[in-house]
Amino acid sequence: QVQVEESGGGSVQAGGSLRLSCAVSGDAYSTSFVGWFRQAPGKEREGVAACYAGRDIKYYAASVEGRFTISRDSAKTTVYLQMNSLKPEDTAVYYCAAGYQGPFVRWSNSQNYKNWGQGTQVTVSS
C-alpha cells in the first residue's frame, strides 16, 4: 500500500522561502517517481516538479524553474520541494503524488499518478 503525506506549507511574504516535505512509503516501484502539483482556486491542477529515485532525473514547470528545487533524501523516503523567491501567484494547495505510470516526459499529467497526498496550503502575500 502506497502512502503519501505532505507537510511544510504555510504563509510567507513575497520573496520568501518555504520547504515542503513529502513522506512516501510503499513498494519501490510505486515510490520511485514522485511529483509535486499545485492547484489554485478556480484553476486546474498543474505540475510543479518531479524526480526519479533511480537516477538524477528532475523536471520543473517553466513557471518555477530557477526558483524551486526538488530533491530526495538518501533513504528515498522523503521528497522535498524547496521554494525560493516566492510570488503571490505561487499561492495554491500543493500536492505530492506517487504511483506514476507512463513515460517520464509526461510527468506533469496528473492522471498518470495513482497515489496522492491530502495537500498542504501555501499562501504568498504581496
Side-chain angles (χ1 to χ4, degrees), residues 41-58:
K43 294 188 177 180
E44 294 185 356
R45 189 169 296 189
E46 64 169 342
V48 175
C51 69
Y52 176 58
R55 289 177 287 173
D56 188 21
I57 295 176
K58 299 178 181 180

Side-chain angles (χ1 to χ4, degrees), residues 70-126:
I70 190 170
S71 62
R72 196 158 188 162
D73 69 341
S74 57
K76 312 295 185 186
T77 59
T78 304
V79 178
Y80 302 100
L81 185 67
Q82 177 66 43
M83 306 185 295
N84 298 328
S85 302
L86 283 162
K87 305 175 181 179
E89 50 264 44
D90 294 319
T91 295
V93 177
Y94 283 70
Y95 298 90
C96 185
Y100 183 82
Q101 292 188 343
F104 286 176
V105 293
R106 296 187 180 178
W107 66 273
S108 62
N109 186 341
S110 61
Q111 295 183 355
N112 290 347
Y113 297 82
K114 183 178 179 181
N115 307 104
W116 291 83
Q118 78 288 352
T120 185
Q121 177 71 44
V122 171
T123 302
V124 184
S125 58
S126 57

